[in-house]
Amino acid sequence: MNRRQFLATSAATLLLPPIARARPALRLQAGPVIAHILPEGDALTPLLGFNGSSPGPEIRARQGDRLSISFKNGSGLRSTIHWHGIHIDNAMDGVPELTQAPVEPGDTFGYAFAVPDAGTYWYHAHHRSWEQVARGLYGPLIVEERKPPRVDRDITVVLDDWSLAPNGELHDSFGNRHDFSHAGRMGNVARALFSGETLRQGDRVRLRLINAATARMFPVKIAGGSGKVVAHDGMPLAEPAPLGATPLMLAPAQRTDIVLDVTGPVSFALYTAQGYHGLGTIAVQGSNPAPIQTPIAPLPPARVQTPDSDGATHLDLVMQGGAMGGRHGGSDFWAFNDRSGIHDAPWRRFARGETARIALHNDTSFPHGIHLHGHHFHEIREDGALGHYRDTTLVDPHGTRDILCVFDNPGRWLLHCHTLGHQASGMKTWVEVA
């Protein structure tokens, strides 16, 4: 990544496609699209997308709605769709090795499921996801509260990077051994894409950040207002946390909601060892004649199962392998507990409603964002108290993160690293809930 590309790509606002309000039936058609990722006047980028754009349309539903979505696969590749973060019926989870057969090119598959929890979610391809998500097969999925918080604007911010050649095309290096065994496929161009183009000074805006990159950690600095973090991975914080000067970290697939009182153009910058690089800015036009003056309040609480901390099953899951890593007993670059990839038997079977405390040990030289399908879990703080309630947790190199989960959603659920090249080369397993 070089500084010139980052500074150049932040010159113009990139907008997400129009919102697709949930109706009795929606249609998502995968297929080739053309995107304008590089600055105005530079080359266009051929991608894959949904309904003619990448990212695909922002789907908006209301908490408790039941969605019916017809997926038409015009991508030319076998594919599926995973509805990331939704406490979904297992058969609708979109994992070809566990819940459905891949959808063949030209075929159609019907997804139907309820959205029980409000929050910021997203959808993405889950067959050869390390390639198909990088090619653009993903989009936001927003579930609105029955009683939404009072804000002037609600804007989705998708963070992504692309590995582009000078002619604007994606580097055709998917699945190479270096990416799989190191930090994953890192783009040389990164952007923030917005669902709204302008704000007014004095507006109160809800910003929904989604890291859609296949590998890049996004430490993001937000300027242009004062505000608070109100949710992670769709789940509200009991008490909003001040948005400080320290960059906000989002691992691949993580989401964070912020409520911000706007004082000027709202800019997003990526922190790297070489300094901050602009990702994009939402411009300010005019002033709000009646700004909201009340303190930023917590979002309506989520439906959270109370964990049985005292009676929890204690388990250890060790991340192994990769470049500069030790030997392990798995059959690929990466492994969990000396096993690489999906096996016939699950890593663990749980009784429905069973609580497990899982120590995630990262015995590698790279960070890993570990995602559990069909559930959220509590991160355990250093003082032993329950921390954030998430579906994807970041574990630092040679670090340990304990999580506490109530396994209450029956079915076969994937557990994997969301650096998608790591998942493809061994760092995945599955659990079964009776």
Side-chain angles (χ1 to χ4, degrees), residues 220-239:
V220 178
K221 183 178 181 180
I222 302 171
S226 60
K228 293 187 175 182
V229 176
V230 296
H232 289 303
D233 290 358
M235 294 295 153
L237 276 62
E239 290 296 332

Side-chain angles (χ1 to χ4, degrees), residues 106-366:
D107 286 355
T108 299
F109 186 87
Y111 293 97
F113 54 91
V115 285
D117 302 303
T120 300
Y121 306 99
W122 66 306
Y123 59 92
H124 62 81
H126 217 295
H127 183 70
R128 291 175 61 91
S129 55
W130 44 274
E131 176 182 354
Q132 293 189 16
V133 176
R135 289 189 182 277
L137 285 176
Y138 67 86
L141 172 55
I142 307 301
V143 182
E144 299 171 348
E145 294 86 356
R146 294 187 179 97
K147 293 184 178 180
R150 185 185 171 201
V151 295
D152 299 297
R153 296 291 306 278
D154 187 325
I155 293 179
T156 301
V157 182
V158 173
L159 307 171
D160 200 1
D161 69 350
W162 300 263
S163 182
L164 299 184
N167 65 358
E169 295 187 2
L170 290 172
H171 283 291
D172 192 18
S173 56
F174 300 101
N176 69 78
R177 293 172 62 85
H178 180 276
D179 287 354
F180 274 13
S181 62
H182 287 72
R185 181 183 172 92
M186 292 289 183
N188 55 0
V189 177
R191 300 296 302 262
L193 297 86
F194 308 114
S195 64
E197 189 171 4
T198 61
L199 292 163
R200 299 171 299 178
Q201 186 167 332
D203 275 352
R204 177 167 288 182
V205 59
R206 180 175 183 170
L207 300 169
R208 301 174 181 266
L209 278 65
I210 302 171
N211 182 356
T214 61
R216 181 171 299 284
M217 310 287 165
F218 272 93
V220 178
K221 183 178 181 180
I222 302 171
S226 60
K228 293 187 175 182
V229 176
V230 296
H232 289 303
D233 290 358
M235 294 295 153
L237 276 62
E239 290 296 332
L243 183 64
T246 303
L248 182 70
M249 175 64 80
L250 281 87
Q254 287 187 326
R255 291 91 62 212
T256 292
D257 286 28
I258 296 163
V259 175
L260 190 79
D261 291 327
V262 177
T263 58
V266 178
S267 64
F268 298 80
L270 171 67
Y271 177 76
T272 73
Q274 292 76 40
Y276 284 99
H277 300 278
L279 296 170
T281 299
I282 305 174
V284 165
Q285 293 183 358
S287 299
N288 186 332
I292 299 171
Q293 301 289 348
T294 55
I296 296 172
L299 299 176
R303 172 187 57 90
V304 178
Q305 292 281 8
T306 302
D308 179 10
S309 300
D310 294 335
T313 302
H314 285 248
L315 300 167
D316 292 278
L317 190 68
V318 182
M319 299 161 236
Q320 301 162 302
M324 300 169 286
R327 298 177 64 87
H328 59 79
S331 57
D332 213 327
F333 288 128
W334 304 94
F336 282 136
N337 291 4
D338 289 314
R339 289 179 21 145
S340 299
I342 296 296
H343 292 254
D344 291 339
W347 170 60
R348 180 75 185 193
R349 289 187 171 92
F350 297 100
R352 188 172 183 181
E354 182 178 351
T355 298
R357 178 167 179 155
I358 305 174
L360 301 171
H361 303 285
N362 185 353
D363 191 21
T364 83
S365 299
F366 297 90

Side-chain angles (χ1 to χ4, degrees), residues 400-431:
T400 295
R401 165 84 72 186
D402 279 25
I403 62 172
L404 193 67
C405 182
V406 180
F407 286 91
D408 61 344
N409 196 355
R412 297 153 58 96
W413 300 108
L414 197 65
L415 175 63
H416 66 97
C417 178
H418 222 283
T419 297
L420 296 177
H422 296 173
Q423 172 198 264
S425 52
M427 197 173 282
K428 62 182 174 181
T429 187
W430 64 285
V431 301

Side-chain angles (χ1 to χ4, degrees), residues 84-104:
H84 188 112
I86 302 294
H87 290 209
I88 202 167
D89 296 336
N90 189 241
M92 298 288 101
D93 196 41
V95 180
E97 293 177 273
L98 290 178
T99 67
Q100 69 171 95
V103 182
E104 299 292 337

